[in-house]
Amino acid sequence: ADPCPVYCDSKTTVLISLEAASVKKSAFLLRKMLFMQECTAQLLIKFYQIPEKDNLADEMTKYIVFDKWKAHLMYSNNVRKD
């Protein structure tokens, strides 16, 4: 079966899942990192980075300027700019 896709806006998360980055903060983060790496190695999940311009969650979690908000609105409604 194909791995379950996990979409995130953090490049670090993708790198950690591929064992290309290190985590040195706490035992909790270390356990989390090892779990992510194990699931990735077993092809259960695959992490993908969402570019900032396509991340629709930014509208609800960050202050964004009007132009970026309008671009997100157009993207979420599948409206093309001509």
Side-chain angles (χ1 to χ4, degrees):
D2 291 334
C4 178
V6 177
Y7 299 99
C8 61
D9 63 351
S10 169
K11 189 172 190 173
T12 304
T13 302
V14 176
L15 291 174
I16 288 172
S17 74
L18 299 172
E19 298 183 33
S22 64
V23 174
K24 299 178 183 176
K25 291 193 177 185
S26 70
F28 172 75
L29 289 177
L30 182 61
R31 285 194 303 270
K32 211 172 176 182
M33 177 198 69
L34 292 173
F35 177 76
M36 286 173 29
Q37 289 176 349
E38 184 179 322
C39 289
T40 302
Q42 293 177 6
L43 299 176
L44 298 174
I45 58 176
K46 181 168 172 115
F47 287 88
Y48 297 94
Q49 181 188 11
I50 299 174
E52 185 178 344
K53 67 179 183 67
D54 297 336
N55 187 359
L56 299 177
D58 279 354
E59 293 177 28
M60 298 170 272
T61 60
K62 298 178 185 172
Y63 174 80
I64 57 175
V65 294
F66 179 76
D67 291 338
K68 188 173 180 182
W69 174 81
K70 188 174 179 181
H72 279 201
L73 182 65
M74 302 287 266
Y75 180 79
S76 65
N77 290 324
N78 201 19
V79 177
R80 297 181 188 198
K81 285 201 298 191
D82 291 329

